Amino acid sequence: MPAETDLHVVLGAGGAVGGSVVRELVSRGHRVRAVNRSGRVPALHGVEVHQGDITTVVGAKAACAGAEVVYHCAAPAYVRWVEDFPHMTDAVRQGAAAAGAKLVFADNLYMYGPVDGALTEDLPYAARNPKGRTRAAMAEALLTAHRSGELRVALGRASDYYGPGGVNTVVGPTVFAAALGRKTARWVGSLDEPHTLSYLPDIARGLVTLGSDARADGQAWHLPTAPAVTGREFLGLVLAGLGRPGKTAALGRPMQRLIGLFDPTVRALGETWYQRDRPFVSDTSKFTATFGPFATTPHTDAITATLDWFRANPTP
């Protein structure tokens, strides 16, 4: 059983990934402090709620104080990554280091740029788009801090996510809420290229594994997922989960450009369109070879749980 004093701090606990990590930690019996700017976090028994601004060093130190492990699941708005994310992450690094805590960063796959073949952790950081370069710079800065002895760091990388609470994602309301509302469920990109999708509770289990195992330290890890599926297959599974026919479509590059004239978030998707017009498959074998078998949630079960959440939490 975890010691009563082992405090795990989740930054960005009001978001989809952070909220999932809070629930996973609670299920394992850890002491948990859930942190975000608004103070609105998962309402779970025994969770300490901390309302604070982790974009400042003072705020990050206050949020991380007393922690054994800090999970950095916070992120600025997608269109503000380049301007705000590095500064936030630098403050978080200093906050975790001041606490003497291990830092686990909820990372993604943007830093690799266009890749032929499966994505592995030993690929160079070849992204040339602003968001990819930002992700690469943050990863390099955190791993440098680990190598210097400032603090222990592990990076857990996931692909596009979905699941309960997953609303700020391309596989969220435009798929699940739309299908439930008998509207057209839209897949961003080609319908016929395999694409890795990460399920939020699986992301959380992976990140908590990294937080609890010293073998994770100083490295990046691709978090385990169910096998890659095509957009056509995924939308078919969503309709099968509903038990009725429905309308599906792809949001292709021309439409993305058109919508992007009015929507900055959709416009920003063009930077990484190479993730959507060819295979985008994450190789997670390094994780399972190191930490052992990991029972990922089948897409059928994950989709059922996600549909149930969207039924209970309708979006406008």
Side-chain angles (χ1 to χ4, degrees):
M1 291 293 294
E4 291 184 359
T5 56
D6 75 334
L7 176 62
H8 291 242
V9 172
V10 183
L11 308 178
V17 175
S20 296
V21 172
V22 169
R23 286 184 282 272
E24 179 64 23
L25 288 167
V26 168
S27 76
R28 298 190 187 200
H30 292 290
R31 282 183 61 213
V32 180
R33 178 185 298 150
V35 180
N36 78 342
R37 191 188 296 263
S38 70
R40 292 191 296 271
V41 298
L44 297 172
H45 178 71
V47 172
E48 174 191 343
V49 176
H50 179 95
Q51 182 178 359
D53 180 5
I54 61 166
T55 65
T56 70
V57 174
V58 170
K61 286 182 176 179
C64 297
E68 178 179 326
V69 185
V70 174
Y71 298 86
H72 178 12
C73 305
Y78 188 66
V79 296
R80 295 289 304 175
W81 277 14
V82 175
E83 295 82 4
D84 298 341
F85 217 160
H87 176 76
M88 171 193 288
T89 298
D90 185 64
V92 167
R93 173 186 58 77
Q94 294 183 62
K102 176 175 177 176
L103 179 62
V104 179
F105 182 35
D107 206 355
N108 73 359
L109 304 169
Y110 277 35
M111 66 288 300
Y112 302 119
V115 172
D116 293 324
L119 296 157
T120 58
E121 293 91 340
D122 58 359
L123 287 169
Y125 294 171
R128 294 293 175 263
N129 58 80
K131 289 183 178 60
R133 291 197 302 268
T134 296
R135 281 287 187 173
M138 290 193 299
E140 289 170 349
L142 290 175
L143 292 175
T144 296
H146 175 91
R147 290 190 291 267
S148 74
E150 181 183 2
L151 78 169
R152 296 161 60 204
V153 171
L155 312 180
R157 292 179 176 159
S159 187
D160 295 307
Y161 66 74
Y162 74 100
V167 293
N168 295 317
T169 168
V170 294
V171 201
T174 54
V175 172
F176 291 95
L180 282 164
R182 297 184 180 273
K183 299 177 182 177
T184 301
R186 296 189 183 277
W187 176 266
V188 178
S190 170
L191 284 170
D192 296 309
E193 298 291 352
H195 194 96
T196 293
L197 294 169
S198 299
Y199 181 53
L200 283 164
D202 289 347
I203 294 174
R205 287 195 294 132
L207 292 172
V208 173
T209 297
L210 299 183
S212 62
D213 196 315
R215 291 175 295 177
D217 295 2
Q219 299 181 64
W221 303 87
H222 292 180
L223 302 176
T225 68
V229 291
T230 67
R232 195 178 305 279
E233 290 169 337
F234 189 80
L235 294 177
L237 291 172
V238 171
L239 295 182
L242 285 175
R244 57 172 169 76
K247 296 180 290 184
T248 63
L251 191 155
R253 187 73 164 113
M255 183 60 69
Q256 178 269 329
R257 288 192 178 101
L258 179 62
I259 297 173
L261 295 174
F262 313 97
D263 186 324
T265 301
V266 174
R267 180 165 63 249
L269 292 174
E271 287 184 27
T272 54
W273 200 257
Y274 55 81
Q275 297 178 8
R276 310 186 185 284
D277 63 3
R278 67 198 72 182
F280 190 74
V281 178
S282 178
D283 182 335
T284 66
S285 59
K286 174 185 168 183
F287 188 106
T288 52
T290 303
F291 304 114
F294 188 105
T296 56
T297 308
H299 284 304
T300 49
D301 295 344
I303 286 168
T304 296
T306 306
L307 286 168
D308 288 344
W309 187 89
F310 274 94
R311 285 190 187 94
N313 299 272
T315 59

